[in-house]
Amino acid sequence: MGSFLFACDSFKGTLSSARSSELLAEEARAFFPEADFRSLEVADGGEGTVDAIVASLGGQRVSLLAADPLGRPVEATYGMLPGERAVIEMAAASGLPILSLDERDPRKTTTFGTGQMILDALDRGARDISLAIGGSATNDCGMGAMRALGVRFLDASGAELMGAGADLALVAKVDLSGMDPRVAQTSFHVMCDVDNPLVGPRGATRTFGPQKGADAAMVEELEAGMVSLAAVLEDAFGTFVADEPGMGAAGGLGAAARLFLDAEVVGGVDWVLDLVGFDEALSGCSLCVTGEGHADGQSAHGKVVSGVAARCRRAGVPCVAIVGGMNADACELLDCGVDALVPTVIDAASIEEVLANAERNFKLAAQRVFSLVSLGRKMGENQ
């Protein structure tokens, strides 16, 4: 066999995208010592996106102190890329994992730290900024991020609001006069893998609010506020975007980026695969191995495995997915271009044991994959 391409998502909390490729190459070499092994770090616009793109494009990671969702200082990192480009994961400053369970309250949280990262990238000369907006702790319709860029949100008396979720219903006017002028000179892209609108039964608040700490009463309060702000934004921009797909991403940051930054909303995984040159790396390959931490029905909709598999199918390259765990719905991936699904877990074990043995289990799964591929080659030779 000629060339193998390894392109896995990170296995959350255990294996990085880069480490999975290293392990795959180690195990494949025992069965196919003559093969050429290529690897790409990939992501879907969520956790690991900065690492994947910086590693592939030769950029550098930049760190700064930014505000966390509750306004406390947190070290946040993003990527500066060649060609005056930057890639930012909003979760680095405004992500849900930053908060403990008892701190999660979308009435109090804000995306201000995400705006600080954007501002820092502008200061460093970025004029093309990609925002990965998965994993947020916020439901502020991006007000915090826009405030960091100079936008003012005013209540009925003209007083400026802080821009947390509780302020949604209080906004009466948006003042754009102080917005950083460099925003208008910059191209923005929002990587988004959900199609939820801003408001309504599938909107930002009703769908994602409970995951961020909202009880039933908070959901109703925040939804009413989001509906109110949507009307204010329509007056300010002359455009109603609340029912557009993706506007509810990251608690409404998708809508803010679309209106205030004139951002292009793109599918996260395809945007990353294009940036890292996936199609070029796949050309001439005999097999692609991809993977993710857990495969389920959502994996077939905008995640790394389905995105990689679809491109493999178009190129006529077999695709195997190694997954940390899976349920029956994961078999939807077989309709997306995945030719075989291989879970890593082989024993009944607690989640703690599974996580502790993630690397060992991944290596064993890789051995099973390449032994079967080797068997297939031998059978072909004997026909």
Side-chain angles (χ1 to χ4, degrees), residues 1-7 24 27-28 31-32 35-39 278 281-290 308 312-313 315-322 337-340 342 365-374 377:
M1 299 187 76
S3 299
F4 294 172
L5 176 61
F6 306 136
L24 286 167
E27 300 306 322
F31 294 92
F32 303 98
D36 170 45
F37 305 121
R38 310 173 187 177
S39 62
F278 179 86
L282 184 66
S283 178
C285 285
S286 304
L287 176 72
C288 178
V289 181
T290 185
V308 166
C312 287
R313 173 173 283 179
V317 177
C319 178
V320 175
I322 297 178
V338 173
D339 294 289
V342 180
Q367 289 175 16
R368 298 199 301 278
V369 167
F370 296 120
S371 65
L372 290 170
V373 173
S374 177
R377 182 176 70 166

mmCIF file of all heavy atoms in Angstrom, residues 1-7 24 27-28 31-32 35-39 278 281-290 308 312-313 315-322 337-340 342 365-374 377:
data_model
loop_
_atom_site.group_PDB
_atom_site.id
_atom_site.type_symbol
_atom_site.label_atom_id
_atom_site.label_comp_id
_atom_site.label_asym_id
_atom_site.label_seq_id
_atom_site.Cartn_x
_atom_site.Cartn_y
_atom_site.Cartn_z
ATOM 1 N N MET A 1 0.839 -1.192 0.000
ATOM 2 C CA MET A 1 0.000 0.000 0.000
ATOM 3 C C MET A 1 0.875 1.243 0.000
ATOM 4 O O MET A 1 1.961 1.247 0.591
ATOM 5 C CB MET A 1 -0.939 -0.010 1.205
ATOM 6 C CG MET A 1 -1.890 -1.209 1.217
ATOM 7 S SD MET A 1 -3.134 -1.148 2.515
ATOM 8 C CE MET A 1 -4.265 0.056 1.841
ATOM 9 N N GLY A 2 0.422 2.307 -0.630
ATOM 10 C CA GLY A 2 1.239 3.491 -0.803
ATOM 11 C C GLY A 2 1.243 4.432 0.370
ATOM 12 O O GLY A 2 2.141 4.410 1.211
ATOM 13 N N SER A 3 0.211 5.264 0.495
ATOM 14 C CA SER A 3 0.185 6.313 1.513
ATOM 15 C C SER A 3 -1.053 6.204 2.391
ATOM 16 O O SER A 3 -2.141 5.895 1.901
ATOM 17 C CB SER A 3 0.208 7.684 0.841
ATOM 18 O OG SER A 3 1.373 7.865 0.080
ATOM 19 N N PHE A 4 -0.864 6.465 3.677
ATOM 20 C CA PHE A 4 -1.962 6.550 4.634
ATOM 21 C C PHE A 4 -2.045 7.995 5.126
ATOM 22 O O PHE A 4 -1.020 8.631 5.368
ATOM 23 C CB PHE A 4 -1.729 5.654 5.848
ATOM 24 C CG PHE A 4 -1.730 4.174 5.561
ATOM 25 C CD1 PHE A 4 -1.370 3.278 6.554
ATOM 26 C CD2 PHE A 4 -2.082 3.668 4.324
ATOM 27 C CE1 PHE A 4 -1.363 1.914 6.319
ATOM 28 C CE2 PHE A 4 -2.092 2.311 4.073
ATOM 29 C CZ PHE A 4 -1.723 1.429 5.073
ATOM 30 N N LEU A 5 -3.265 8.480 5.302
ATOM 31 C CA LEU A 5 -3.468 9.801 5.899
ATOM 32 C C LEU A 5 -4.162 9.636 7.235
ATOM 33 O O LEU A 5 -5.200 8.969 7.327
ATOM 34 C CB LEU A 5 -4.321 10.684 4.984
ATOM 35 C CG LEU A 5 -4.701 12.070 5.545
ATOM 36 C CD1 LEU A 5 -3.461 12.905 5.836
ATOM 37 C CD2 LEU A 5 -5.636 12.800 4.592
ATOM 38 N N PHE A 6 -3.602 10.246 8.272
ATOM 39 C CA PHE A 6 -4.183 10.198 9.615
ATOM 40 C C PHE A 6 -4.697 11.587 9.960
ATOM 41 O O PHE A 6 -3.942 12.569 9.922
ATOM 42 C CB PHE A 6 -3.152 9.754 10.641
ATOM 43 C CG PHE A 6 -2.488 8.438 10.295
ATOM 44 C CD1 PHE A 6 -1.111 8.277 10.434
ATOM 45 C CD2 PHE A 6 -3.236 7.376 9.826
ATOM 46 C CE1 PHE A 6 -0.498 7.075 10.106
ATOM 47 C CE2 PHE A 6 -2.641 6.163 9.492
ATOM 48 C CZ PHE A 6 -1.259 6.017 9.634
ATOM 49 N N ALA A 7 -5.983 11.680 10.271
ATOM 50 C CA ALA A 7 -6.605 12.990 10.520
ATOM 51 C C ALA A 7 -7.718 12.834 11.550
ATOM 52 O O ALA A 7 -8.896 12.774 11.215
ATOM 53 C CB ALA A 7 -7.150 13.574 9.221
ATOM 54 N N LEU A 24 -0.961 6.176 15.531
ATOM 55 C CA LEU A 24 -1.363 5.465 14.321
ATOM 56 C C LEU A 24 -0.155 5.118 13.465
ATOM 57 O O LEU A 24 -0.056 4.005 12.930
ATOM 58 C CB LEU A 24 -2.354 6.316 13.524
ATOM 59 C CG LEU A 24 -3.757 6.413 14.104
ATOM 60 C CD1 LEU A 24 -4.542 7.527 13.411
ATOM 61 C CD2 LEU A 24 -4.506 5.087 13.969
ATOM 62 N N GLU A 27 1.796 2.114 14.973
ATOM 63 C CA GLU A 27 1.162 0.813 14.789
ATOM 64 C C GLU A 27 1.112 0.421 13.316
ATOM 65 O O GLU A 27 1.265 -0.752 12.973
ATOM 66 C CB GLU A 27 -0.243 0.824 15.391
ATOM 67 C CG GLU A 27 -0.285 1.121 16.884
ATOM 68 C CD GLU A 27 0.612 0.193 17.687
ATOM 69 O OE1 GLU A 27 0.687 -1.011 17.356
ATOM 70 O OE2 GLU A 27 1.250 0.687 18.633
ATOM 71 N N ALA A 28 0.894 1.362 12.434
ATOM 72 C CA ALA A 28 0.818 1.047 11.002
ATOM 73 C C ALA A 28 2.164 0.577 10.469
ATOM 74 O O ALA A 28 2.228 -0.301 9.597
ATOM 75 C CB ALA A 28 0.343 2.272 10.229
ATOM 76 N N PHE A 31 2.915 -3.140 10.298
ATOM 77 C CA PHE A 31 2.241 -3.931 9.277
ATOM 78 C C PHE A 31 2.605 -3.486 7.853
ATOM 79 O O PHE A 31 2.591 -4.287 6.924
ATOM 80 C CB PHE A 31 0.721 -3.826 9.452
ATOM 81 C CG PHE A 31 0.203 -4.451 10.717
ATOM 82 C CD1 PHE A 31 0.057 -3.700 11.876
ATOM 83 C CD2 PHE A 31 -0.118 -5.798 10.759
ATOM 84 C CE1 PHE A 31 -0.418 -4.278 13.042
ATOM 85 C CE2 PHE A 31 -0.584 -6.389 11.928
ATOM 86 C CZ PHE A 31 -0.736 -5.630 13.079
ATOM 87 N N PHE A 32 2.931 -2.198 7.709
ATOM 88 C CA PHE A 32 3.201 -1.633 6.391
ATOM 89 C C PHE A 32 4.467 -0.778 6.438
ATOM 90 O O PHE A 32 4.411 0.452 6.317
ATOM 91 C CB PHE A 32 2.014 -0.790 5.914
ATOM 92 C CG PHE A 32 0.712 -1.532 5.870
ATOM 93 C CD1 PHE A 32 -0.200 -1.422 6.925
ATOM 94 C CD2 PHE A 32 0.403 -2.349 4.797
ATOM 95 C CE1 PHE A 32 -1.395 -2.116 6.890
ATOM 96 C CE2 PHE A 32 -0.793 -3.051 4.753
ATOM 97 C CZ PHE A 32 -1.698 -2.933 5.803
ATOM 98 N N ALA A 35 5.111 1.828 3.654
ATOM 99 C CA ALA A 35 4.110 2.859 3.351
ATOM 100 C C ALA A 35 4.591 4.251 3.749
ATOM 101 O O ALA A 35 5.469 4.424 4.599
ATOM 102 C CB ALA A 35 2.800 2.529 4.050
ATOM 103 N N ASP A 36 3.970 5.231 3.124
ATOM 104 C CA ASP A 36 4.206 6.643 3.451
ATOM 105 C C ASP A 36 3.074 7.104 4.362
ATOM 106 O O ASP A 36 1.898 6.897 4.057
ATOM 107 C CB ASP A 36 4.215 7.459 2.155
ATOM 108 C CG ASP A 36 4.213 8.959 2.426
ATOM 109 O OD1 ASP A 36 4.974 9.397 3.293
ATOM 110 O OD2 ASP A 36 3.434 9.674 1.768
ATOM 111 N N PHE A 37 3.423 7.700 5.500
ATOM 112 C CA PHE A 37 2.415 8.116 6.468
ATOM 113 C C PHE A 37 2.332 9.638 6.507
ATOM 114 O O PHE A 37 3.326 10.323 6.768
ATOM 115 C CB PHE A 37 2.739 7.572 7.863
ATOM 116 C CG PHE A 37 2.904 6.085 7.889
ATOM 117 C CD1 PHE A 37 4.091 5.514 8.324
ATOM 118 C CD2 PHE A 37 1.891 5.253 7.446
ATOM 119 C CE1 PHE A 37 4.259 4.144 8.337
ATOM 120 C CE2 PHE A 37 2.044 3.877 7.463
ATOM 121 C CZ PHE A 37 3.228 3.318 7.899
ATOM 122 N N ARG A 38 1.137 10.160 6.240
ATOM 123 C CA ARG A 38 0.886 11.595 6.301
ATOM 124 C C ARG A 38 -0.068 11.857 7.452
ATOM 125 O O ARG A 38 -0.922 11.030 7.758
ATOM 126 C CB ARG A 38 0.246 12.087 5.003
ATOM 127 C CG ARG A 38 0.968 11.650 3.738
ATOM 128 C CD ARG A 38 0.173 12.031 2.495
ATOM 129 N NE ARG A 38 0.763 11.469 1.286
ATOM 130 C CZ ARG A 38 0.236 11.589 0.070
ATOM 131 N NH1 ARG A 38 -0.910 12.276 -0.092
ATOM 132 N NH2 ARG A 38 0.827 11.045 -0.972
ATOM 133 N N SER A 39 0.052 13.008 8.074
ATOM 134 C CA SER A 39 -0.860 13.326 9.177
ATOM 135 C C SER A 39 -1.223 14.807 9.137
ATOM 136 O O SER A 39 -0.419 15.644 8.732
ATOM 137 C CB SER A 39 -0.245 12.967 10.529
ATOM 138 O OG SER A 39 0.927 13.710 10.772
ATOM 139 N N PHE A 278 -6.579 19.637 3.472
ATOM 140 C CA PHE A 278 -6.910 18.223 3.587
ATOM 141 C C PHE A 278 -6.986 17.536 2.224
ATOM 142 O O PHE A 278 -6.445 16.438 2.039
ATOM 143 C CB PHE A 278 -8.240 18.044 4.331
ATOM 144 C CG PHE A 278 -8.659 16.605 4.461
ATOM 145 C CD1 PHE A 278 -8.204 15.834 5.515
ATOM 146 C CD2 PHE A 278 -9.496 16.012 3.524
ATOM 147 C CE1 PHE A 278 -8.568 14.495 5.624
ATOM 148 C CE2 PHE A 278 -9.866 14.683 3.623
ATOM 149 C CZ PHE A 278 -9.398 13.920 4.686
ATOM 150 N N ALA A 281 -3.635 16.720 0.862
ATOM 151 C CA ALA A 281 -2.968 15.643 1.605
ATOM 152 C C ALA A 281 -3.583 14.281 1.291
ATOM 153 O O ALA A 281 -2.888 13.261 1.287
ATOM 154 C CB ALA A 281 -3.048 15.923 3.105
ATOM 155 N N LEU A 282 -4.888 14.262 1.010
ATOM 156 C CA LEU A 282 -5.579 13.002 0.735
ATOM 157 C C LEU A 282 -5.245 12.453 -0.645
ATOM 158 O O LEU A 282 -5.319 11.240 -0.873
ATOM 159 C CB LEU A 282 -7.089 13.219 0.852
ATOM 160 C CG LEU A 282 -7.994 11.993 0.697
ATOM 161 C CD1 LEU A 282 -7.766 11.009 1.841
ATOM 162 C CD2 LEU A 282 -9.462 12.423 0.642
ATOM 163 N N SER A 283 -4.858 13.320 -1.559
ATOM 164 C CA SER A 283 -4.602 12.910 -2.939
ATOM 165 C C SER A 283 -3.553 11.803 -3.001
ATOM 166 O O SER A 283 -2.459 11.929 -2.442
ATOM 167 C CB SER A 283 -4.131 14.109 -3.763
ATOM 168 O OG SER A 283 -3.840 13.728 -5.082
ATOM 169 N N GLY A 284 -3.879 10.704 -3.666
ATOM 170 C CA GLY A 284 -2.951 9.592 -3.836
ATOM 171 C C GLY A 284 -2.898 8.625 -2.682
ATOM 172 O O GLY A 284 -2.121 7.663 -2.716
ATOM 173 N N CYS A 285 -3.705 8.845 -1.628
ATOM 174 C CA CYS A 285 -3.674 7.960 -0.462
ATOM 175 C C CYS A 285 -4.478 6.677 -0.707
ATOM 176 O O CYS A 285 -5.456 6.667 -1.464
ATOM 177 C CB CYS A 285 -4.226 8.671 0.778
ATOM 178 S SG CYS A 285 -3.088 9.879 1.479
ATOM 179 N N SER A 286 -4.057 5.616 -0.037
ATOM 180 C CA SER A 286 -4.755 4.331 -0.109
ATOM 181 C C SER A 286 -5.774 4.172 1.001
ATOM 182 O O SER A 286 -6.711 3.385 0.880
ATOM 183 C CB SER A 286 -3.740 3.183 -0.020
ATOM 184 O OG SER A 286 -2.752 3.290 -1.003
ATOM 185 N N LEU A 287 -5.589 4.920 2.110
ATOM 186 C CA LEU A 287 -6.467 4.791 3.273
ATOM 187 C C LEU A 287 -6.383 6.052 4.116
ATOM 188 O O LEU A 287 -5.299 6.633 4.257
ATOM 189 C CB LEU A 287 -6.046 3.579 4.133
ATOM 190 C CG LEU A 287 -6.801 3.362 5.453
ATOM 191 C CD1 LEU A 287 -8.222 2.864 5.187
ATOM 192 C CD2 LEU A 287 -6.059 2.378 6.359
ATOM 193 N N CYS A 288 -7.509 6.452 4.680
ATOM 194 C CA CYS A 288 -7.530 7.544 5.655
ATOM 195 C C CYS A 288 -8.094 7.007 6.963
ATOM 196 O O CYS A 288 -9.116 6.311 6.963
ATOM 197 C CB CYS A 288 -8.391 8.695 5.155
ATOM 198 S SG CYS A 288 -8.533 10.081 6.329
ATOM 199 N N VAL A 289 -7.426 7.314 8.073
ATOM 200 C CA VAL A 289 -7.931 6.964 9.398
ATOM 201 C C VAL A 289 -8.253 8.256 10.134
ATOM 202 O O VAL A 289 -7.399 9.142 10.262
ATOM 203 C CB VAL A 289 -6.916 6.138 10.211
ATOM 204 C CG1 VAL A 289 -7.507 5.773 11.572
ATOM 205 C CG2 VAL A 289 -6.527 4.875 9.453
ATOM 206 N N THR A 290 -9.486 8.378 10.586
ATOM 207 C CA THR A 290 -9.924 9.537 11.345
ATOM 208 C C THR A 290 -10.455 9.053 12.685
ATOM 209 O O THR A 290 -10.378 7.870 13.006
ATOM 210 C CB THR A 290 -10.982 10.337 10.557
ATOM 211 O OG1 THR A 290 -11.305 11.532 11.282
ATOM 212 C CG2 THR A 290 -12.241 9.532 10.324
ATOM 213 N N VAL A 308 -14.482 14.511 7.329
ATOM 214 C CA VAL A 308 -13.377 13.782 6.700
ATOM 215 C C VAL A 308 -13.916 12.667 5.806
ATOM 216 O O VAL A 308 -13.477 12.479 4.666
ATOM 217 C CB VAL A 308 -12.443 13.203 7.781
ATOM 218 C CG1 VAL A 308 -11.487 12.169 7.180
ATOM 219 C CG2 VAL A 308 -11.655 14.326 8.455
ATOM 220 N N CYS A 312 -13.401 11.803 1.791
ATOM 221 C CA CYS A 312 -12.809 10.526 1.368
ATOM 222 C C CYS A 312 -13.713 9.842 0.341
ATOM 223 O O CYS A 312 -13.234 9.282 -0.656
ATOM 224 C CB CYS A 312 -12.613 9.612 2.575
ATOM 225 S SG CYS A 312 -11.259 10.116 3.675
ATOM 226 N N ARG A 313 -15.003 9.874 0.581
ATOM 227 C CA ARG A 313 -15.935 9.245 -0.358
ATOM 228 C C ARG A 313 -15.843 9.914 -1.723
ATOM 229 O O ARG A 313 -15.819 9.230 -2.756
ATOM 230 C CB ARG A 313 -17.358 9.321 0.183
ATOM 231 C CG ARG A 313 -18.424 8.848 -0.798
ATOM 232 C CD ARG A 313 -19.796 8.785 -0.159
ATOM 233 N NE ARG A 313 -19.934 7.591 0.685
ATOM 234 C CZ ARG A 313 -21.028 7.287 1.380
ATOM 235 N NH1 ARG A 313 -22.078 8.109 1.345
ATOM 236 N NH2 ARG A 313 -21.079 6.202 2.103
ATOM 237 N N ALA A 315 -13.327 11.381 -2.969
ATOM 238 C CA ALA A 315 -12.026 11.080 -3.573
ATOM 239 C C ALA A 315 -11.835 9.599 -3.841
ATOM 240 O O ALA A 315 -10.816 9.200 -4.438
ATOM 241 C CB ALA A 315 -10.908 11.587 -2.662
ATOM 242 N N GLY A 316 -12.782 8.768 -3.396
ATOM 243 C CA GLY A 316 -12.657 7.327 -3.598
ATOM 244 C C GLY A 316 -11.618 6.666 -2.715
ATOM 245 O O GLY A 316 -11.039 5.637 -3.069
ATOM 246 N N VAL A 317 -11.369 7.240 -1.534
ATOM 247 C CA VAL A 317 -10.381 6.711 -0.590
ATOM 248 C C VAL A 317 -11.106 6.062 0.588
ATOM 249 O O VAL A 317 -11.946 6.706 1.221
ATOM 250 C CB VAL A 317 -9.449 7.825 -0.073
ATOM 251 C CG1 VAL A 317 -8.472 7.270 0.969
ATOM 252 C CG2 VAL A 317 -8.698 8.469 -1.227
ATOM 253 N N PRO A 318 -10.821 4.793 0.911
ATOM 254 C CA PRO A 318 -11.456 4.157 2.072
ATOM 255 C C PRO A 318 -11.167 4.932 3.353
ATOM 256 O O PRO A 318 -10.074 5.483 3.529
ATOM 257 C CB PRO A 318 -10.813 2.762 2.123
ATOM 258 C CG PRO A 318 -10.295 2.530 0.739
ATOM 259 C CD PRO A 318 -9.900 3.885 0.214
ATOM 260 N N CYS A 319 -12.152 4.960 4.258
ATOM 261 C CA CYS A 319 -12.034 5.732 5.498
ATOM 262 C C CYS A 319 -12.442 4.867 6.686
ATOM 263 O O CYS A 319 -13.534 4.288 6.699
ATOM 264 C CB CYS A 319 -12.920 6.965 5.430
ATOM 265 S SG CYS A 319 -12.910 7.986 6.920
ATOM 266 N N VAL A 320 -11.565 4.778 7.669
ATOM 267 C CA VAL A 320 -11.840 4.065 8.918
ATOM 268 C C VAL A 320 -11.857 5.089 10.056
ATOM 269 O O VAL A 320 -10.998 5.975 10.103
ATOM 270 C CB VAL A 320 -10.773 2.984 9.201
ATOM 271 C CG1 VAL A 320 -11.007 2.335 10.566
ATOM 272 C CG2 VAL A 320 -10.771 1.938 8.110
ATOM 273 N N ALA A 321 -12.813 4.966 10.956
ATOM 274 C CA ALA A 321 -12.904 5.866 12.114
ATOM 275 C C ALA A 321 -12.668 5.086 13.395
ATOM 276 O O ALA A 321 -13.360 4.100 13.664
ATOM 277 C CB ALA A 321 -14.264 6.547 12.161
ATOM 278 N N ILE A 322 -11.690 5.524 14.178
ATOM 279 C CA ILE A 322 -11.451 4.986 15.519
ATOM 280 C C ILE A 322 -12.091 5.940 16.511
ATOM 281 O O ILE A 322 -11.800 7.144 16.502
ATOM 282 C CB ILE A 322 -9.948 4.837 15.804
ATOM 283 C CG1 ILE A 322 -9.312 3.831 14.844
ATOM 284 C CG2 ILE A 322 -9.708 4.406 17.253
ATOM 285 C CD1 ILE A 322 -7.810 3.668 15.028
ATOM 286 N N GLY A 337 -19.769 8.048 4.554
ATOM 287 C CA GLY A 337 -18.493 7.753 3.920
ATOM 288 C C GLY A 337 -17.531 6.972 4.784
ATOM 289 O O GLY A 337 -16.452 6.588 4.328
ATOM 290 N N VAL A 338 -17.878 6.723 6.052
ATOM 291 C CA VAL A 338 -17.054 5.874 6.916
ATOM 292 C C VAL A 338 -17.269 4.420 6.500
ATOM 293 O O VAL A 338 -18.400 3.939 6.423
ATOM 294 C CB VAL A 338 -17.421 6.069 8.397
ATOM 295 C CG1 VAL A 338 -16.678 5.060 9.276
ATOM 296 C CG2 VAL A 338 -17.088 7.489 8.846
ATOM 297 N N ASP A 339 -16.169 3.722 6.221
ATOM 298 C CA ASP A 339 -16.269 2.322 5.799
ATOM 299 C C ASP A 339 -16.244 1.361 6.974
ATOM 300 O O ASP A 339 -16.768 0.247 6.871
ATOM 301 C CB ASP A 339 -15.123 1.995 4.838
ATOM 302 C CG ASP A 339 -15.247 2.773 3.537
ATOM 303 O OD1 ASP A 339 -16.153 2.466 2.753
ATOM 304 O OD2 ASP A 339 -14.447 3.706 3.323
ATOM 305 N N ALA A 340 -15.649 1.774 8.103
ATOM 306 C CA ALA A 340 -15.617 0.912 9.286
ATOM 307 C C ALA A 340 -15.467 1.783 10.527
ATOM 308 O O ALA A 340 -14.702 2.761 10.518
ATOM 309 C CB ALA A 340 -14.481 -0.094 9.210
ATOM 310 N N VAL A 342 -14.403 1.626 14.550
ATOM 311 C CA VAL A 342 -13.668 0.785 15.495
ATOM 312 C C VAL A 342 -13.601 1.490 16.842
ATOM 313 O O VAL A 342 -12.884 2.485 16.994
ATOM 314 C CB VAL A 342 -12.237 0.498 14.984
ATOM 315 C CG1 VAL A 342 -11.488 -0.386 15.977
ATOM 316 C CG2 VAL A 342 -12.270 -0.140 13.606
ATOM 317 N N ALA A 365 -6.683 -0.402 19.411
ATOM 318 C CA ALA A 365 -7.634 -0.226 18.310
ATOM 319 C C ALA A 365 -6.889 -0.041 16.992
ATOM 320 O O ALA A 365 -7.303 -0.583 15.948
ATOM 321 C CB ALA A 365 -8.544 0.972 18.582
ATOM 322 N N ALA A 366 -5.806 0.726 17.012
ATOM 323 C CA ALA A 366 -5.007 0.911 15.800
ATOM 324 C C ALA A 366 -4.440 -0.412 15.312
ATOM 325 O O ALA A 366 -4.425 -0.695 14.109
ATOM 326 C CB ALA A 366 -3.890 1.911 16.060
ATOM 327 N N GLN A 367 -3.984 -1.257 16.242
ATOM 328 C CA GLN A 367 -3.493 -2.581 15.864
ATOM 329 C C GLN A 367 -4.575 -3.392 15.169
ATOM 330 O O GLN A 367 -4.331 -4.057 14.151
ATOM 331 C CB GLN A 367 -2.990 -3.337 17.093
ATOM 332 C CG GLN A 367 -1.698 -2.812 17.677
ATOM 333 C CD GLN A 367 -1.315 -3.515 18.969
ATOM 334 O OE1 GLN A 367 -1.838 -4.594 19.286
ATOM 335 N NE2 GLN A 367 -0.401 -2.923 19.717
ATOM 336 N N ARG A 368 -5.787 -3.350 15.695
ATOM 337 C CA ARG A 368 -6.887 -4.100 15.085
ATOM 338 C C ARG A 368 -7.172 -3.585 13.672
ATOM 339 O O ARG A 368 -7.413 -4.366 12.752
ATOM 340 C CB ARG A 368 -8.143 -4.007 15.948
ATOM 341 C CG ARG A 368 -7.983 -4.595 17.346
ATOM 342 C CD ARG A 368 -9.304 -4.921 18.013
ATOM 343 N NE ARG A 368 -10.191 -3.792 18.178
ATOM 344 C CZ ARG A 368 -10.124 -2.904 19.170
ATOM 345 N NH1 ARG A 368 -9.143 -3.005 20.072
ATOM 346 N NH2 ARG A 368 -11.002 -1.918 19.277
ATOM 347 N N VAL A 369 -7.157 -2.262 13.525
ATOM 348 C CA VAL A 369 -7.420 -1.683 12.207
ATOM 349 C C VAL A 369 -6.396 -2.159 11.188
ATOM 350 O O VAL A 369 -6.735 -2.678 10.116
ATOM 351 C CB VAL A 369 -7.418 -0.141 12.278
ATOM 352 C CG1 VAL A 369 -7.364 0.462 10.869
ATOM 353 C CG2 VAL A 369 -8.639 0.363 13.014
ATOM 354 N N PHE A 370 -5.112 -2.011 11.510
ATOM 355 C CA PHE A 370 -4.078 -2.308 10.523
ATOM 356 C C PHE A 370 -3.891 -3.806 10.314
ATOM 357 O O PHE A 370 -3.487 -4.236 9.222
ATOM 358 C CB PHE A 370 -2.772 -1.617 10.907
ATOM 359 C CG PHE A 370 -2.889 -0.116 10.894
ATOM 360 C CD1 PHE A 370 -2.661 0.626 12.046
ATOM 361 C CD2 PHE A 370 -3.262 0.551 9.741
ATOM 362 C CE1 PHE A 370 -2.789 2.005 12.036
ATOM 363 C CE2 PHE A 370 -3.410 1.930 9.723
ATOM 364 C CZ PHE A 370 -3.165 2.655 10.866
ATOM 365 N N SER A 371 -4.201 -4.606 11.320
ATOM 366 C CA SER A 371 -4.154 -6.065 11.097
ATOM 367 C C SER A 371 -5.231 -6.483 10.112
ATOM 368 O O SER A 371 -4.999 -7.345 9.248
ATOM 369 C CB SER A 371 -4.309 -6.820 12.426
ATOM 370 O OG SER A 371 -5.592 -6.607 12.981
ATOM 371 N N LEU A 372 -6.411 -5.869 10.214
ATOM 372 C CA LEU A 372 -7.483 -6.196 9.281
ATOM 373 C C LEU A 372 -7.185 -5.661 7.880
ATOM 374 O O LEU A 372 -7.485 -6.312 6.873
ATOM 375 C CB LEU A 372 -8.812 -5.639 9.795
ATOM 376 C CG LEU A 372 -9.373 -6.344 11.038
ATOM 377 C CD1 LEU A 372 -10.559 -5.564 11.601
ATOM 378 C CD2 LEU A 372 -9.788 -7.765 10.701
ATOM 379 N N VAL A 373 -6.591 -4.464 7.798
ATOM 380 C CA VAL A 373 -6.205 -3.931 6.494
ATOM 381 C C VAL A 373 -5.151 -4.833 5.853
ATOM 382 O O VAL A 373 -5.197 -5.134 4.649
ATOM 383 C CB VAL A 373 -5.675 -2.490 6.623
ATOM 384 C CG1 VAL A 373 -5.121 -1.991 5.289
ATOM 385 C CG2 VAL A 373 -6.783 -1.562 7.108
ATOM 386 N N SER A 374 -4.201 -5.300 6.664
ATOM 387 C CA SER A 374 -3.170 -6.205 6.172
ATOM 388 C C SER A 374 -3.778 -7.516 5.685
ATOM 389 O O SER A 374 -3.395 -8.063 4.646
ATOM 390 C CB SER A 374 -2.143 -6.479 7.265
ATOM 391 O OG SER A 374 -1.167 -7.394 6.852
ATOM 392 N N ARG A 377 -5.309 -7.037 2.319
ATOM 393 C CA ARG A 377 -4.327 -7.002 1.248
ATOM 394 C C ARG A 377 -3.859 -8.405 0.887
ATOM 395 O O ARG A 377 -3.746 -8.765 -0.300
ATOM 396 C CB ARG A 377 -3.114 -6.153 1.654
ATOM 397 C CG ARG A 377 -2.080 -6.043 0.530
ATOM 398 C CD ARG A 377 -0.936 -5.121 0.885
ATOM 399 N NE ARG A 377 -0.075 -5.683 1.921
ATOM 400 C CZ ARG A 377 1.128 -5.193 2.212
ATOM 401 N NH1 ARG A 377 1.578 -4.117 1.571
ATOM 402 N NH2 ARG A 377 1.858 -5.722 3.156
#
